[in-house]
Amino acid sequence: MTHPLVAIRSVSKNFGEFQALKQVSLDVFPGEVLCLIGASGSGKTTLLRCINQLTPVDSGGIWLDGELLGMSERDGRLYRLTARQIARQRLKTGMVFQRFNLFPHKTALENIIEGPVQVHGRSRHDARTEAIDLLRRVGLAAKADAYPAELSGGQQQRVAIARALAMKPMLMLFDEPTSALDPELVGEVLLVMRELAGSGMTMLVVTHELGFAREVADRVVYMDHGAIVESGRAAEVLSAPREARTQAFLSAVI
Amino acid sequence: MRTAETLAEGFPDLSQMMIARQLHWRRWIAAAVILVVLAVIGRAFAGGQIEWSYVGRFLTAQVIVEGVVNTMVMAALAMALGVILGVVVATMRLSPNPVLKSVAAGYTWLFRGTPLILQLLLWFNLALVFPTIGIPGLWSARAVDVMTPFLSALLGLGINQGAYTSEVIRAGMLSVDAGQYEAAQAIGMGRLRALRRIILPQAMRLVIPPLGNEFISLVKATSLASVIQYPELLHNAENIYYANSRVIELLIVAGLWYLLVVSILTPLQMLLERRFARGYLRVAR
């Protein structure tokens, strides 16, 4: 059996009194597309943010590519890593946000080359060449010099995907990438994600797009109240859920 | 669907009628009152004991022009110091380190809480506290020689300005969406790089109008440096009227220059605003 790219073991996270994650364990294998579904407040976004360390876990551990995230173990105790070490670990993951979070003072192209130039120390010329390729890949070669305010929501999100890909991550995290979009713009973003899945990228997608999950996901995980209720092959979980809570959620959504 | 032939009766066609001009008689009265008041004030000054020829003569006197230059140099340098300190202190204020945070808050508290003129006098009289200053073993000098009017004024004005500027910049940084910082982190940026590359440029857009305000205040606040013998505009004007007793005339000269300098700053600020508005200008899709 291959090693998981992401191994999540007994991860808990509280925000004050609220238990966002309760002892969550999960594996994500290389090349796998995994969709996280569930009601808001079920912990799926928190889980994603813990993998990218935008939110530190309270207890438990997450390993990415065999490396423990955010902490190091010495003499039976855990020590939190420095901000610099965490920033380095983060380079292995790319994140796409619900609200795009493009840098509004930079053009589409500048948004994409910011990471490669500033963080990887690449030359502007090389970074530009690759960025233009990425823009072509998301179908926005003509919008290289447009500022985010001049782009539609769907275009902004596609630039955001290109920006994440420019860092050459081994794992892509999507936090409800189509939830902030007008309905007619959802398709173009899902198309890019589908293409990305086809290219063999490992993807973890928090989504309400069950159609996308059914078509593209290898596995679907249903979360509720900070815990994984059910997980399995997309067709099985979505068409024939075993758990009553999953059935209730799916019938409420569809 | 009804057609035009079936429109209801009793509603005449007004489209060809002229609309009469309104008589805003209240506005006319208000304007007249204000004009009369202004005329009275103007007449009083015209007939008052002001030798306008002196105003004209001293407007371009060498000492006055030097004072204007010194005022502008001091304002620009103190503002530069203020902005640098402001950015550093605002960053410290938003740092997770409690010591940095409290030191930054203490700085703002101290320099906003005491009068600027008092701070200028303290810097100028620093020699009373430390007769000699320097780096032990490397360099030392008498404080009276180091603390020239120029350096005292620069430190006094700049450090005081930094306290105000830091709050303006902090407000600007807080107004940038938290998602921007997360996006910067997500592409592997550290805190300081994210601040420098992503947060501050966006904050600057919001911060420039209040900073323009601050700078205009500072141009005029340089006149306080006259009390520590810095040869700025007001100080030089005073020196002239001590000799020739044309007090009002020289104060008017100084006032006109301050007005001119401040008037030039407004279009400069607009240029700067446009520079930082990249990506925000409304453009047709």
Side-chain angles (χ1 to χ4, degrees):
Chain A
M1 192 164 145
T2 53
H3 280 292
L5 182 62
V6 186
I8 301 167
R9 293 294 178 271
S10 308
V11 163
S12 296
K13 177 70 194 178
N14 296 342
F15 296 107
E17 293 287 288
F18 180 69
Q19 289 186 292
L21 293 175
K22 300 173 198 163
Q23 300 273 325
V24 172
S25 296
L26 180 70
D27 282 335
V28 185
F29 291 92
E32 192 173 33
V33 176
L34 195 147
C35 281
L36 286 168
I37 61 171
S40 23
S42 60
K44 48 197 198 309
T45 291
T46 305
L47 186 61
L48 210 63
R49 292 171 61 88
C50 284
I51 296 171
N52 207 21
Q53 304 192 63
L54 289 174
T55 304
V57 303
D58 286 346
S59 67
I62 301 176
W63 285 259
L64 175 62
D65 194 26
E67 185 183 15
L68 179 60
L69 294 181
M71 288 177 285
S72 63
E73 194 199 329
R74 270 199 315 277
D75 311 325
R77 295 185 70 168
L78 291 170
Y79 297 88
R80 292 219 187 257
L81 298 183
T82 64
R84 186 181 296 265
Q85 290 169 313
I86 288 174
R88 188 187 54 74
Q89 287 188 333
R90 236 181 232 128
L91 293 177
K92 292 184 179 176
T93 60
M95 179 96 174
V96 175
F97 298 89
Q98 183 179 356
R99 301 217 43 94
F100 331 136
N101 296 349
L102 287 182
F103 307 132
H105 58 305
K106 295 182 180 297
T107 63
L109 188 85
E110 287 169 345
N111 263 278
I112 297 172
I113 66 172
E114 180 71 12
V117 171
Q118 291 293 322
V119 179
H120 279 326
R122 306 277 309 278
S123 79
R124 280 187 81 83
H125 179 264
D126 291 357
R128 272 184 72 95
T129 311
E130 283 184 23
I132 289 168
D133 277 346
L134 282 168
L135 277 172
R136 195 169 298 139
R137 188 167 164 194
V138 298
L140 290 171
K143 296 289 185 183
D145 295 323
Y147 284 98
E150 301 165 80
L151 299 173
S152 74
Q155 291 171 331
Q156 288 188 56
Q157 192 62 297
R158 281 143 67 194
V159 173
I161 293 172
R163 176 175 71 180
L165 289 175
M167 299 303 285
K168 303 191 166 58
M170 52 200 329
L171 171 71
M172 282 288 284
L173 305 171
F174 294 85
D175 183 13
E176 302 195 24
T178 57
S179 298
L181 295 177
D182 291 337
E184 77 273 19
L185 303 176
V186 169
E188 61 190 69
V189 172
L190 293 182
L191 195 71
V192 168
M193 290 171 63
R194 193 169 293 155
E195 187 271 329
L196 190 60
S199 75
M201 174 64 77
T202 312
M203 293 164 59
L204 207 55
V205 186
V206 171
T207 188
H208 296 296
E209 295 292 332
L210 297 185
F212 173 82
R214 190 188 306 272
E215 261 182 76
V216 181
D218 299 302
R219 208 146 45 103
V220 168
V221 171
Y222 171 68
M223 289 183 71
D224 190 25
H225 290 100
I228 291 176
V229 175
E230 183 166 354
S231 104
R233 299 213 356 220
E236 287 167 12
V237 174
L238 294 173
S239 307
R242 290 187 306 274
E243 300 288 331
R245 275 191 286 173
T246 318
Q247 288 162 11
F249 173 75
L250 289 174
S251 61
V253 173
I254 295 167
Chain B
M1 204 42 205
R2 277 168 166 254
T3 55
E5 286 80 10
T6 63
L7 286 174
E9 293 290 320
F11 301 95
D13 179 8
L14 301 183
S15 62
Q16 299 306 314
M17 243 184 253
M18 290 278 282
I19 297 172
R21 269 180 79 104
Q22 261 174 301
L23 251 175
H24 299 283
W25 59 273
R26 275 175 216 263
R27 293 186 200 172
W28 284 103
I29 290 173
V33 167
I34 286 166
L35 285 175
V36 166
V37 169
L38 286 178
V40 168
I41 294 172
R43 216 179 99 89
F45 270 91
Q49 298 192 359
I50 299 172
E51 284 291 340
W52 288 99
S53 63
Y54 275 89
V55 174
R57 190 173 342 147
F58 281 102
L59 203 55
T60 53
Q62 198 196 346
V63 184
I64 293 293
V65 174
E66 278 171 15
V68 172
V69 171
N70 284 340
T71 289
M72 296 204 301
V73 166
M74 179 54 67
L77 290 179
M79 192 69 195
L81 180 59
V83 169
I84 293 168
L85 280 173
V87 169
V88 171
V89 172
T91 310
M92 284 168 67
R93 253 300 316 247
L94 298 173
S95 133
N97 183 331
V99 175
L100 291 186
K101 214 187 266 193
S102 355
V103 166
Y107 162 81
T108 310
W109 170 76
L110 186 64
F111 287 95
R112 279 202 311 186
T114 50
L116 176 53
I117 193 163
L118 182 148
Q119 292 173 31
L120 287 167
L121 288 167
L122 277 177
W123 286 109
F124 190 53
N125 291 302
L126 202 66
L128 299 176
V129 190
F130 310 106
T132 58
I133 49 179
I135 308 156
L138 278 176
W139 169 84
S140 77
R142 294 196 309 150
V144 270
D145 299 332
V146 177
M147 278 299 158
T148 57
F150 173 81
L151 189 62
S152 312
L154 177 58
L155 289 177
L157 292 166
I159 291 175
N160 181 268
Q161 187 58 49
Y164 285 94
T165 306
S166 72
E167 285 296 277
V168 171
I169 291 178
R170 186 168 71 99
M173 287 162 78
L174 287 176
S175 70
V176 176
D177 184 56
Q180 290 292 309
Y181 184 54
E182 293 191 342
Q185 283 185 299
I187 56 170
M189 286 193 176
R191 210 178 85 83
L192 287 181
R193 198 194 299 270
L195 285 178
R196 186 168 60 80
R197 298 282 311 173
I198 306 301
I199 308 297
L200 274 175
Q202 293 182 56
M204 283 321 276
R205 185 180 69 95
L206 304 163
V207 156
I208 284 168
L211 279 193
N213 230 6
E214 293 280 309
F215 189 47
I216 285 170
S217 294
L218 181 60
V219 167
K220 291 172 294 170
T222 53
S223 61
L224 291 175
S226 59
V227 300
I228 56 168
Q229 315 304 323
Y230 178 68
E232 48 73 49
L233 178 53
L234 183 64
H235 181 262
N236 289 4
E238 283 176 333
N239 274 350
I240 296 173
Y241 71 61
Y242 290 149
N244 69 5
S245 300
R246 292 291 171 188
V247 178
I248 297 300
E249 290 79 358
L250 279 147
L251 288 179
I252 289 175
V253 165
L256 289 174
W257 273 112
Y258 282 115
L259 272 175
L260 180 70
V261 171
V262 169
S263 309
I264 292 170
L265 290 176
T266 313
L268 287 181
Q269 179 184 330
M270 278 166 72
L271 283 179
L272 210 59
E273 280 180 31
R274 208 171 302 165
R275 170 75 178 74
F276 278 99
R278 265 178 316 164
Y280 293 93
L281 298 171
R282 298 233 171 270
V283 191
R285 285 237 169 97

